[in-house]
Short mmCIF file of all heavy atoms in Angstrom, two decimals:
data_model
loop_
_atom_site.label_atom_id
_atom_site.label_comp_id
_atom_site.label_asym_id
_atom_site.label_seq_id
_atom_site.Cartn_x
_atom_site.Cartn_y
_atom_site.Cartn_z
N SER E 115 94.04 95.20 100.26
CA SER E 115 93.18 94.65 101.26
C SER E 115 93.89 93.95 102.42
O SER E 115 93.32 93.58 103.38
CB SER E 115 92.18 93.72 100.63
OG SER E 115 92.88 92.65 99.96
N ASP M 9 83.30 96.23 94.42
CA ASP M 9 83.18 95.42 95.61
C ASP M 9 81.82 94.80 95.77
O ASP M 9 80.83 95.39 95.32
CB ASP M 9 83.58 96.23 96.87
CG ASP M 9 85.03 96.69 96.85
OD1 ASP M 9 85.86 96.01 96.28
OD2 ASP M 9 85.28 97.73 97.41
N ALA M 10 81.81 93.63 96.44
CA ALA M 10 80.50 92.92 96.56
C ALA M 10 79.56 93.67 97.46
O ALA M 10 79.92 94.39 98.39
CB ALA M 10 80.77 91.52 97.13
N LYS M 11 78.27 93.42 97.30
CA LYS M 11 77.23 93.96 98.15
C LYS M 11 77.06 92.97 99.32
O LYS M 11 77.36 91.80 99.21
CB LYS M 11 75.86 94.04 97.39
CG LYS M 11 75.90 94.95 96.19
CD LYS M 11 75.84 96.36 96.54
CE LYS M 11 75.72 97.26 95.31
NZ LYS M 11 76.01 98.63 95.57
N THR M 34 77.83 87.91 96.11
CA THR M 34 78.48 88.34 94.84
C THR M 34 80.00 88.55 95.04
O THR M 34 80.64 89.11 94.18
CB THR M 34 77.83 89.62 94.35
OG1 THR M 34 78.01 90.69 95.32
CG2 THR M 34 76.38 89.45 94.07
N ILE M 35 80.49 88.07 96.15
CA ILE M 35 81.93 88.29 96.47
C ILE M 35 82.79 87.64 95.36
O ILE M 35 82.48 86.49 94.89
CB ILE M 35 82.26 87.83 97.84
CG1 ILE M 35 83.56 88.42 98.34
CG2 ILE M 35 82.32 86.31 97.92
CD1 ILE M 35 83.85 88.20 99.80
N SER M 36 83.86 88.29 95.00
CA SER M 36 84.73 87.67 94.01
C SER M 36 85.88 87.00 94.73
O SER M 36 86.15 87.15 95.94
CB SER M 36 85.31 88.75 93.08
OG SER M 36 86.09 89.69 93.78
N GLY M 37 86.67 86.18 93.92
CA GLY M 37 87.67 85.35 94.54
C GLY M 37 88.81 86.06 95.24
O GLY M 37 89.46 85.51 96.14
N ASN M 38 89.03 87.37 94.88
CA ASN M 38 90.14 88.07 95.50
C ASN M 38 89.69 89.09 96.53
O ASN M 38 90.45 90.01 96.86
CB ASN M 38 91.00 88.73 94.34
CG ASN M 38 90.18 89.84 93.68
OD1 ASN M 38 89.01 90.05 93.95
ND2 ASN M 38 90.79 90.50 92.76
N GLU M 39 88.43 88.98 96.94
CA GLU M 39 87.97 89.91 97.97
C GLU M 39 88.03 89.29 99.34
O GLU M 39 87.51 88.17 99.62
CB GLU M 39 86.51 90.33 97.67
CG GLU M 39 86.38 91.31 96.48
CD GLU M 39 84.99 91.82 96.34
OE1 GLU M 39 84.06 91.01 95.98
OE2 GLU M 39 84.72 92.99 96.59
N TYR M 40 88.67 90.04 100.25
CA TYR M 40 88.69 89.67 101.65
C TYR M 40 87.33 90.09 102.28
O TYR M 40 86.63 90.97 101.76
CB TYR M 40 89.79 90.43 102.43
CG TYR M 40 91.15 89.83 102.16
CD1 TYR M 40 91.88 90.10 101.01
CD2 TYR M 40 91.78 89.08 103.13
CE1 TYR M 40 93.15 89.59 100.83
CE2 TYR M 40 93.09 88.54 102.96
CZ TYR M 40 93.73 88.82 101.80
OH TYR M 40 94.98 88.32 101.60
N VAL M 41 87.00 89.46 103.42
CA VAL M 41 85.90 89.91 104.19
C VAL M 41 86.42 90.53 105.47
O VAL M 41 87.15 89.88 106.25
CB VAL M 41 84.95 88.73 104.57
CG1 VAL M 41 83.81 89.25 105.43
CG2 VAL M 41 84.41 88.08 103.32
N GLY M 58 89.37 87.92 106.76
CA GLY M 58 89.73 86.65 106.21
C GLY M 58 89.44 86.53 104.74
O GLY M 58 88.64 87.35 104.18
N LEU M 59 89.99 85.57 104.09
CA LEU M 59 89.80 85.36 102.64
C LEU M 59 89.03 84.08 102.40
O LEU M 59 87.97 84.11 101.80
CB LEU M 59 91.16 85.33 101.97
CG LEU M 59 91.12 85.19 100.41
CD1 LEU M 59 90.41 86.42 99.83
CD2 LEU M 59 92.51 85.05 99.83
N LYS M 60 89.60 82.95 102.82
CA LYS M 60 88.93 81.62 102.59
C LYS M 60 88.81 80.87 103.86
O LYS M 60 87.78 80.24 104.18
CB LYS M 60 89.75 80.82 101.57
CG LYS M 60 89.77 81.40 100.16
CD LYS M 60 90.56 80.48 99.28
CE LYS M 60 90.67 81.05 97.84
NZ LYS M 60 91.46 80.18 96.99
N ARG M 76 82.10 80.80 100.03
CA ARG M 76 82.45 82.22 100.34
C ARG M 76 81.26 83.17 100.15
O ARG M 76 81.48 84.38 100.14
CB ARG M 76 83.63 82.69 99.49
CG ARG M 76 84.88 81.84 99.73
CD ARG M 76 86.19 82.56 99.52
NE ARG M 76 86.18 83.65 98.58
CZ ARG M 76 86.42 84.90 98.88
NH1 ARG M 76 86.71 85.23 100.12
NH2 ARG M 76 86.40 85.86 97.95
N PRO M 98 83.30 93.49 102.35
CA PRO M 98 84.20 92.90 101.36
C PRO M 98 85.14 93.91 100.83
O PRO M 98 84.83 95.10 100.62
CB PRO M 98 83.26 92.39 100.25
CG PRO M 98 81.87 92.45 100.83
CD PRO M 98 81.90 93.56 101.86
N ARG M 99 86.37 93.46 100.60
CA ARG M 99 87.38 94.42 100.14
C ARG M 99 88.35 93.71 99.18
O ARG M 99 88.99 92.75 99.51
CB ARG M 99 88.17 94.93 101.33
CG ARG M 99 89.15 96.03 101.06
CD ARG M 99 89.81 96.49 102.36
NE ARG M 99 90.87 97.48 102.13
CZ ARG M 99 91.82 97.78 102.96
NH1 ARG M 99 91.89 97.10 104.14
NH2 ARG M 99 92.71 98.66 102.68
N GLY M 100 88.38 94.23 97.96
CA GLY M 100 89.19 93.60 96.93
C GLY M 100 90.67 93.71 97.25
O GLY M 100 91.15 94.57 97.96
N ILE M 101 91.45 92.76 96.73
CA ILE M 101 92.86 92.69 97.06
C ILE M 101 93.64 93.92 96.67
O ILE M 101 94.61 94.29 97.29
CB ILE M 101 93.44 91.42 96.40
CG1 ILE M 101 94.86 91.12 96.99
CG2 ILE M 101 93.60 91.62 94.89
CD1 ILE M 101 95.32 89.71 96.69
N THR M 103 92.02 96.92 96.57
CA THR M 103 91.18 98.04 97.01
C THR M 103 91.81 98.69 98.20
O THR M 103 92.02 98.03 99.23
CB THR M 103 89.76 97.52 97.35
OG1 THR M 103 89.23 96.91 96.18
CG2 THR M 103 88.87 98.66 97.78
#
Side-chain angles (χ1 to χ4, degrees):
Chain E
S115 58
Chain M
D9 293 331
K11 301 281 187 197
T34 61
I35 198 168
S36 63
N38 66 356
E39 285 186 293
Y40 284 78
V41 179
L59 184 62
K60 293 181 182 178
R76 301 208 332 116
R99 187 178 175 201
I101 196 165
T103 300

